[in-house]
Amino acid sequence: MQDLFASLDSIWGLAALAAIAFGDTLIGIGFFIFGEFAFLAAGAAFSMNGVVLPALIVLTFAWFGDVASYSLGRRYGAAFSLRFLKRSKRRKAWRRARTEISARGAVFIVVSRFLGPFAWVTPFLAGTLGMQPQTFLPAAALGVTLGVGQFLIYGAVGTKIAQNVLPFMLDHLGAILLAFFMFGASLFVWQRSESRFS
């Protein structure tokens, strides 16, 4: 396992992390790429080897993906929206999103990073609706730092737990199973006694 995470520091490992992080945040293909695997792996690599570069790579290229989506929105968003907005329900959703971006701007960009599929669409939408680059770029950087950063932390903490807690649990598996059995038996007896006296 140590060798696997050490390979993330190689040129090919870093290139794979960069491609996954970029693809995860790019409009269109982001729906099909699960960047969380790369983010968790980068966090785990930091936890195991103290290597910061994989985490910096995924943060940077996730932001590049947002910037590329924003640029595509500025360039092609108007033409796309004409085709997309033929149905009245879509026009209503579009107006609602435009209102949110107009009213909340940078806050909406940051918050959308925690709203699942909205994270893939919001940068493109911001470009389409003409959000200024000086507003979008720092907001996207903060959103990526918080959104991707949480998975880096999960990867690092999960690895520490696996390294420290798992060996303890395996060494004391018999005692743990006995404790669970005794707890289950006590709960069963207690429920039976409650039902008998009720």
Side-chain angles (χ1 to χ4, degrees), residues 167-177:
F168 173 82
M169 290 180 70
L170 290 174
D171 287 344
H172 301 88
L173 188 59
I176 292 169
L177 290 175

Side-chain angles (χ1 to χ4, degrees), residues 89-144:
K89 283 185 180 178
R90 290 177 177 171
R91 282 199 300 271
K92 187 176 178 182
W94 186 264
R95 281 195 302 270
R96 196 176 327 134
R98 184 176 60 201
T99 302
E100 288 294 322
I101 286 182
S102 300
R104 293 174 176 78
V107 173
F108 185 73
I109 299 298
V110 174
V111 170
S112 71
R113 180 54 62 186
F114 299 95
L115 300 177
F118 281 105
W120 298 313
V121 177
T122 301
F124 181 83
L125 187 61
T128 302
L129 297 176
M131 179 180 277
Q132 293 301 309
Q134 61 266 30
T135 302
F136 175 78
L137 295 175
L142 179 59
V144 163

Side-chain angles (χ1 to χ4, degrees), residues 63-104:
W63 183 71
F64 286 165
D66 274 0
V67 172
S69 296
Y70 170 79
S71 302
L72 289 169
R74 285 180 72 89
R75 177 71 179 87
Y76 301 107
F80 174 80
S81 64
L82 289 174
R83 184 175 300 170
F84 178 76
L85 300 176
K86 287 181 181 175
R87 294 172 55 192
S88 60
K89 283 185 180 178
R90 290 177 177 171
R91 282 199 300 271
K92 187 176 178 182
W94 186 264
R95 281 195 302 270
R96 196 176 327 134
R98 184 176 60 201
T99 302
E100 288 294 322
I101 286 182
S102 300
R104 293 174 176 78

Side-chain angles (χ1 to χ4, degrees), residues 191-198:
Q191 284 182 335
R192 289 288 298 264
S193 64
E194 283 287 311
S195 63
R196 184 177 300 168
F197 292 111
S198 60

